[in-house]
Amino acid sequence: MPASLPDADGATLAQIFRLLDDAYGDETWVWDPEHVRGAMDVVAGAVLVQHTTWTNAERALENMRAAGALDPSRLARMPDDALIQLVRVSGTPNVKARRLRAIARTIVDAGGLEALLALDRDDLRRGLLDTHGIGPETADAILLYAAGHRTFLIDAYTQRVFRRIGRGPASNSYDAWQRWFEDRLRDADAGAFQRMHAHIVLHGKAVCRTNPRCGTCPLAGCCDTGSKVLAAPKSGAAPGERG
């Protein structure tokens, strides 16, 4: 660990993830092995979930599966109208149809999904980012959950939770957040990163919401925001229980 990184950062992260594991370790995540039927589920799901809920993305994914549209070769050739109808439930169907066909062409050009995911981390990430509609978060979801590469996936839940805790980089850029975690979690492998990301999202959905439920938060003892909320004088409703 570089000398510029205080030991307290790594120790605090370890404590946070132990607490999240205790709180959510028995809960399943949408990309747990028992949920996905293959890597193409992750690839298509990572596009479909953009700007919508996983419930809507999953409905679109089931439509694609039923129509045989999870085959990259078939997906790349599918007519616009047909694909748009399959993914309409996930929102912005025209946009997502274009992005799904683009990632399908990337897969076909690489010689198939297995060949694409066998690329080393940097080459795979570069190829994904060069694909229309694939940004860093979508690319890293594919790297982490489909290819099993060690990459820390950053999303809005991660930034919200850790800003409230009082930890994170000075910059709000995606790359700065990713480097901040990866520099401090050098001993964690891809499986650990998958678990960490899943628990952050579960926590962000259940407790650390737009209006946080600090009174039920397993991280309240190490969270700057939670400590302030819980120390504030009570006035009617329980702290952090505003819906």
Side-chain angles (χ1 to χ4, degrees), residues 62-131:
E62 289 296 337
N63 290 343
M64 292 181 66
R65 181 178 293 109
L70 289 178
D71 175 81
S73 297
R74 183 172 181 180
L75 176 57
R77 301 190 307 269
M78 183 166 284
D80 287 354
D81 290 348
L83 184 53
I84 286 169
Q85 288 305 313
L86 293 177
V87 304
R88 184 172 299 280
V89 69
S90 68
T92 59
N94 292 25
V95 171
K96 289 181 180 176
R98 288 197 299 272
R99 292 176 179 180
L100 286 165
R101 278 198 307 275
I103 190 67
R105 287 193 293 271
T106 295
I107 293 168
V108 171
D109 290 346
L113 185 56
E114 185 175 348
L116 179 69
L117 297 181
L119 295 174
D120 68 40
R121 179 188 185 275
D122 291 343
D123 286 344
L124 176 55
R125 195 172 195 267
R126 190 177 305 111
L128 291 172
L129 291 175
D130 285 342
T131 301

Side-chain angles (χ1 to χ4, degrees), residues 17 20 24 27-31 49 52-54 137 141 144-145 152-162 193-209 219:
F17 286 119
L20 290 176
Y24 304 103
E27 297 189 32
T28 57
W29 172 238
V30 294
W31 285 326
V49 79
T52 191
T53 65
W54 178 253
E137 183 179 337
L144 179 61
Y145 287 103
F152 202 94
L153 174 55
I154 305 299
D155 57 18
Y157 292 114
T158 304
Q159 295 189 43
R160 178 199 296 168
V161 169
F162 281 87
F193 278 6
Q194 290 175 357
R195 193 172 182 87
M196 289 173 187
H197 173 254
H199 290 167
I200 289 170
V201 175
L202 290 169
H203 183 63
K205 287 178 176 290
V207 177
C208 199
R209 308 194 308 181
L219 304 181

Side-chain angles (χ1 to χ4, degrees), residues 144 148-151 185-194 196:
L144 179 61
H149 284 298
R150 183 187 180 277
T151 185
L185 297 168
R186 293 177 181 271
D187 294 333
D189 60 12
F193 278 6
Q194 290 175 357
M196 289 173 187

Side-chain angles (χ1 to χ4, degrees), residues 166-180:
R167 295 290 188 276
S171 169
N172 285 324
S173 76
Y174 187 98
D175 290 345
W177 274 97
Q178 188 173 70
R179 286 194 302 272
W180 190 85

